[in-house]
Amino acid sequence: MSFVFVSGNLALDFMGTLKWRRGVPEELLATPPDLARWAVEAGVTTEEPAVDAAGLRRLRALREAVYQLVTGAMAGSPWPGDDLRVVNEEAGGAPPRVTLSPAGLVRSGDAAAVASSVACSAAELLSELGELRVRECARPECTRVFIDRSRGGNRQWCGMEECGNRIKAASYRSRKRKTATPPSGPPSGRPSGEGPGTAR
């Protein structure tokens, strides 16, 4: 299982760890080790944090609260109070501990520290939402949300590899089917009406 980081924001990338929300959801954080690995790949910590089942449930609850707040704001809906409370409580926690050593910078912490980082990222994003182009992937099945920082402001896909290329390939195949015309006349190449026993 691999994680992708295409949303341009830590909290949005975390939201994307539950895929295909409108169809058959795919859970990328199925076990505590999955969450620990995500934290390192996302750059939240430099070493895998200790995560137990309770920590995983806590982070999943935060993920859903962030999702409801972000998608609600995109739709112009008021922020649900319970979800806002979850984000604010997690954002007030201690972030990962930073230690400088001759070997480099080390970020360490537990599941609570990961939650604090994600919640702070979500709070900052939501406070600036009116100034950002935040949109959902144009692939109908995909529910990943991203910040469009393209020069023309016309980015459609969360990423080309998973969604953009597939949509373009499907569109190409559809166009080919529409432009294909069935062959005319008998397949044997004989003039119409002629057969093996036709007298000349």
Side-chain angles (χ1 to χ4, degrees):
M1 183 187 303
S2 60
F3 300 112
V4 297
F5 300 90
V6 294
S7 295
N9 174 270
L10 178 68
L12 295 183
D13 280 324
F14 191 62
M15 279 168 42
T17 57
L18 182 63
K19 301 168 61 177
W20 324 120
R21 289 169 178 266
R22 283 188 294 270
V24 179
E26 180 182 350
E27 176 61 79
L28 301 185
L29 303 180
T31 66
D34 293 333
L35 176 56
R37 186 164 54 85
W38 181 88
V40 173
E41 292 187 21
V44 176
T45 59
T46 53
E47 52 190 38
E48 291 193 357
V51 181
D52 58 13
L56 179 61
R57 288 193 297 271
R58 176 178 182 173
L59 266 294
R60 283 181 179 175
L62 172 62
R63 180 184 63 189
E64 298 315 298
V66 173
Y67 181 81
Q68 293 301 324
L69 290 170
V70 170
T71 55
M74 290 169 63
S77 303
W79 288 337
D82 289 344
D83 296 321
L84 187 61
R85 176 184 53 77
V86 170
V87 169
N88 283 333
E89 286 181 356
E90 296 291 11
R97 183 173 60 257
V98 176
T99 305
L100 178 63
S101 73
L105 201 66
V106 176
R107 295 183 180 88
S108 57
D110 55 9
V114 176
S116 176
S117 295
V118 171
C120 285
S121 175
E124 291 171 3
L125 171 73
L126 288 162
S127 71
E128 301 170 354
L129 208 60
E131 305 167 21
L132 299 172
R133 292 190 296 263
V134 179
R135 57 190 54 160
E136 188 179 77
C137 180
R139 182 180 177 185
E141 302 89 345
C142 185
T143 52
R144 197 181 296 275
V145 177
F146 61 87
I147 300 174
D148 178 8
R149 292 193 174 98
S150 64
R151 181 172 297 181
N154 57 358
R155 178 180 167 189
Q156 299 182 63
W157 325 111
C158 61
M160 289 304 296
E161 182 175 345
E162 187 167 34
C163 288
N165 287 337
R166 295 191 182 192
I167 289 292
K168 289 185 175 184
S171 178
Y172 174 77
R173 290 193 297 269
S174 177
R175 290 196 303 271
K176 292 290 284 184
R177 284 195 298 270
K178 289 178 181 177
T179 56
T181 55
S184 58
S188 64
R190 297 187 180 91
S192 180
E194 274 193 21
T198 304
R200 292 178 179 270

